[in-house]
Amino acid sequence: MTCPSCRQELPSTARFCSSCGTPCAGPAAAAPAPVAPPAEDERKPVTVLFCDLVGSTALSGVLDPETLRAVTLRYFEAMSAQIVARGGTPEKFIGDAVMAVFGVPVVREDDARRALAAALGMRRALDALNEELYASLGIRLTTRVGVNTGQVVAGSDATARQALVSGEVVNIAARLEQNAGPGEILIGPQTLLAAGPTVTAEPTGPLQLKGKRDGVEAYRLLALGADDPELLRRFDAPFVGRTTELDALGRSLDETVREGLPGLLRVTGEAGIGKTRLVREWLTRRSGAGAFAYGAGRCRTYGDHGTLAPLADAVRSLLPHTHAHLTAPGDEATDDAMALLSGGLLRDGTPNAPFEDMCAALTVVLKRTARDRPVVLVFDDWHAAAPLLARTVDRLTGDAGPARVLVICAGRP
Ligand SMILES: Nc1ncnc2c1ncn2[C@@H]1O[C@H](COP(=O)(O)OP(=O)(O)OP(=O)(O)O)[C@@H](O)[C@H]1O
Ligand SMILES: [Mg+2]
């Protein structure tokens, strides 16, 4: 190969002339390497939500600019709170619209469900805000929402507020929102599929969306059922194997009863390996003959519940079996403990203060319950347990905890 400028003889692999520095038309120069997207941009499955105000121009005719601004800020705050509470990221505010993404920066298996829960939560939050706005200003706000799921190119730089997420999925979410009626939530087919079987939605018929040649399938979201694993996954197929694990659960309860101390058992394993199914199967088999009383709660990473809601659920589901005993006359300590817990933990899952008093009251109630038959408390999805719940369970299963009570914590590593 010779240099195109000074004709100097060069090796065939040279990219520059060693004599005059001119770039050479070698194989590398002839076929430039494809431009790779910046390393930090990646394709991810996400769910995008758009929420916009209906008829906001009419509002600007009724309210003075300062009041309108204050109302809009309240609306943005209320909507963003619902998104954040379910782990979404409010990404942009465009005019009166909010765009939120579920799946950035972290992709979660239930992003679509979270987005739908947020959409329904936003509608409820707007109802509450409207009561206030109607009382003070005589106005009500109405929104429409679009939700769509699919692969997007997402920048991972959370500080770059613009264009964190872009692509067709985002455009369709925006178009679904624009096609929704007042108060409606329209969702795309991938969202319906990804959100699982407890979604109630009705087809709208194919929508002709701007920029799309073919009609787009869409659904009107009506309701979202409980996110009990038993509803989201099949628990009706026959249970197979796991005899070693079933035996281990049984032994753990026997030991707890024999030693007259509280017991703690952790069931740990990867997602989908069968932890929930195993514990439920064991509870059904062993508690059938009234051998023990049990209560269960599930830890959640998002939603509107108190920090100790799983413990409140577990204790509440335990009490109906033993209610008559607990309210027996003359057992003042139990009555006092129940009164204390009813004002906090058992009311809404929020901790009673001080922490020590709450633990003492729980110990009294559980001890009383376990006097008749052993008690099993189950916490599923323990990986999502709040630190305060972990602290409370540590305390209950410590040496001063109630005897004959076994706590089972099932979760991912
Ligand atoms: N021993 C078994 N026999 C039959 N089916 C099982 C068994 N164990 C688990 N399964 C089935 O496998 C699926 C996943 O089980 P499960 O929901 O209990 O997993 P998991 O470990 O609790 O997952 P996650 O970490 O997501 O909560 C369910 O449909 C369940 O019915
Ligand atoms: Mg599980």
Side-chain angles (χ1 to χ4, degrees):
M1 179 169 80
T2 54
C3 168
S5 174
C6 70
R7 300 282 152 205
Q8 167 81 25
E9 252 334 288
L10 298 172
S12 61
T13 52
R15 294 173 62 203
F16 297 93
C17 173
S18 54
S19 174
C20 68
T22 304
C24 303
V35 181
E40 64 271 15
D41 286 352
E42 24 172 347
R43 286 182 75 82
K44 285 181 169 185
V46 303
T47 298
V48 180
L49 178 154
F50 274 88
C51 168
D52 200 2
L53 278 184
V54 179
S56 54
T57 7
L59 273 185
S60 59
V62 185
L63 303 176
D64 63 70
E66 287 76 22
T67 315
L68 181 61
R69 195 178 136 68
V71 167
T72 313
L73 282 177
R74 291 285 310 280
Y75 149 77
F76 278 143
E77 261 170 35
M79 299 303 105
S80 301
Q82 294 296 318
I83 293 160
V84 171
R86 274 124 189 134
T89 310
E91 188 175 300
K92 279 191 225 174
F93 300 95
I94 314 151
D96 297 322
V98 185
M99 173 189 163
V101 185
F102 292 77
V104 171
V106 193
V107 174
R108 299 185 177 101
E109 63 184 326
D110 57 351
D111 279 327
R113 260 195 86 80
R114 286 168 182 259
L116 296 189
L120 292 167
M122 287 158 90
R123 205 153 64 179
R124 285 193 300 273
L126 193 72
D127 286 345
L129 179 62
N130 274 339
E131 279 188 24
E132 231 183 275
L133 292 178
Y134 190 73
S136 56
L137 299 166
I139 58 158
R140 284 183 201 281
L141 305 179
T142 311
T143 53
R144 50 178 186 228
V145 172
V147 185
N148 193 34
T149 302
Q151 296 278 338
V152 297
V153 176
S156 55
D157 181 3
T159 53
R161 295 303 306 161
Q162 294 299 305
L164 255 181
V165 166
S166 57
E168 180 79 345
V169 176
V170 180
N171 297 340
I172 293 182
R175 300 275 182 247
L176 286 171
E177 175 260 294
Q178 288 153 13
N179 275 266
E184 267 183 7
I185 301 163
L186 289 193
I187 69 178
Q190 291 306 317
T191 307
L192 181 68
L193 200 67
T198 66
V199 177
T200 312
E202 58 185 14
T204 58
L207 295 180
Q208 293 303 321
L209 302 186
K210 208 165 126 193
K212 300 285 295 177
R213 208 151 41 96
D214 301 324
V216 170
E217 223 185 304
Y219 298 84
R220 196 172 291 114
L221 176 66
L222 301 175
L224 191 61
D227 59 348
D228 186 320
E230 197 156 337
L231 300 172
L232 299 174
R233 287 177 174 160
R234 296 206 57 136
F235 271 41
D236 52 355
F239 186 82
V240 288
R242 297 281 185 219
T243 44
T244 317
E245 290 83 356
L246 287 168
D247 288 348
L249 285 163
R251 270 202 313 279
S252 190
L253 178 63
D254 295 342
E255 242 168 64
T256 302
V257 172
R258 204 173 43 241
E259 290 177 359
L261 286 170
L264 173 65
L265 180 71
R266 288 193 200 282
V267 177
T268 308
E270 299 299 332
I273 203 162
K275 303 176 291 293
T276 302
R277 182 82 198 263
L278 170 75
V279 175
R280 290 191 185 192
E281 188 72 22
W282 179 74
L283 288 172
T284 314
R285 291 185 187 188
R286 280 286 303 258
S287 71
F292 59 85
Y294 73 88
R298 201 155 70 79
C299 308
R300 291 176 173 83
T301 45
Y302 66 94
D304 320 309
H305 18 251
T307 329
L308 299 181
L311 177 62
D313 288 345
V315 175
R316 266 193 233 109
S317 55
L318 177 72
L319 291 181
H321 307 291
T322 44
H323 192 66
H325 298 284
L326 286 177
T327 52
D331 191 349
E332 260 178 52
T334 312
D335 285 350
D336 291 350
M338 280 303 290
L340 185 130
L341 296 176
S342 303
L345 177 73
L346 293 182
R347 188 191 53 210
D348 54 10
T350 55
N352 288 92
F355 178 72
E356 301 300 329
D357 290 0
M358 179 185 73
C359 292
L362 274 167
T363 304
V364 168
V365 170
L366 292 174
K367 220 180 231 173
R368 178 68 192 85
T369 313
R371 212 190 287 167
D372 305 320
R373 345 177 239 178
V375 167
V376 175
L377 293 180
V378 177
F379 298 106
D380 202 0
D381 293 337
W382 187 249
H383 48 270
L388 188 69
L389 178 60
R391 223 177 111 204
T392 314
V393 165
D394 271 353
R395 182 62 65 90
L396 291 177
T397 54
D399 284 350
R404 290 161 47 94
V405 174
L406 172 66
V407 178
I408 300 176
C409 300
R412 299 177 190 171

